Amino acid sequence: MRILVVEDEHKIASSIKRGLEQEGYAVDVAYDGEQGYDLASSESYDAIVLDLMLPKIDGLTICSKLREEEKHTPILILTAKGFLSDRVNGLNTGADDYLVKPFAFEELLARLRALLRRPKNGGLARLVYKDLELDSVNFEVKMSGKKINLSRKEFALLEYLMRNSGKIVSKDNIIDHVWSYDADILPNTVEVYIGYLRKKISGLIQTVRGFGYKLD
Ligand code: CA
């Protein structure tokens, strides 16, 4: 799952990024509205955390521009305390939820997970593929009922493969959804992580030569 955070306060932006990366998400940060809008409209994200008061382009404008362009990425708005009209405007321009600053990271995480689980995002809390079960809320994976221990990255990779089971996903697709933009990932790294996963869940991940991988 890849998240875009648009926030001009560097301290808040980096603490959100750090927290989400620890939870296994890939996170890109934009520090002004223009960069945020450019990334949101050109890259593919699973959700956007959007501050409202931003240099260059404000959050509400970004939100309505994206919706006009038929971009339906879930948006969680961050708004300063007391700006009730901002919240109402935010939801009217097509944001999915809002959070009032200051907020606890746990609350941000809970709301983001709720957005990512919405059916229109293909998001189910519990994914099942053959005898493999993945619970994205409790970060648990079981194979034939037996718990398997995965690192956060292995978990994120498996979740991405399971959400796309039966489809071929390329290494680039995987890099885009599992790693952050600044992570400097090489296609080799994907192979290494696929290798780790194969050791833990044998027989399910197929290599499609020249294209990528498929859970089948
Ligand atoms: Ca701000």
Side-chain angles (χ1 to χ4, degrees), residues 106-175:
E106 284 65 33
E107 186 169 9
L108 175 91
L109 187 61
R111 284 170 187 258
L112 258 186
R113 283 187 181 151
L115 290 184
L116 293 167
R117 274 203 302 274
R118 288 192 182 173
K120 67 172 179 181
N121 310 317
L124 290 169
R126 189 168 159 275
L127 300 169
V128 179
Y129 181 76
K130 294 189 177 164
D131 53 357
L132 200 59
E133 277 174 64
L134 179 145
D135 176 339
S136 64
V137 176
N138 300 309
F139 286 106
E140 255 186 26
V141 176
K142 286 180 185 169
M143 190 150 168
S144 314
K146 261 181 73 183
K147 213 178 142 184
I148 300 174
N149 286 318
L150 298 181
S151 71
R152 291 289 192 195
K153 271 295 170 234
E154 290 164 359
F155 186 94
L157 176 57
L158 181 62
E159 182 179 15
Y160 184 67
L161 290 171
M162 286 179 80
R163 287 196 192 281
N164 293 285
S165 62
K167 286 187 235 164
I168 299 171
V169 292
S170 68
K171 285 180 192 167
D172 283 342
N173 293 150
I174 292 174
I175 291 172

Side-chain angles (χ1 to χ4, degrees), residues 7-9 51-55 101:
E7 166 63 84
D8 58 317
E9 285 167 69
D51 185 32
L52 289 186
M53 302 273 279
L54 289 166
K101 287 179 179 176

Side-chain angles (χ1 to χ4, degrees), residues 197-215:
L197 265 186
R198 278 191 171 132
K199 283 193 187 135
K200 296 180 179 177
I201 53 154
S202 50
L204 290 178
I205 304 171
Q206 313 294 321
T207 301
V208 184
R209 293 243 167 265
F211 293 98
Y213 302 96
K214 190 175 169 187
L215 209 57

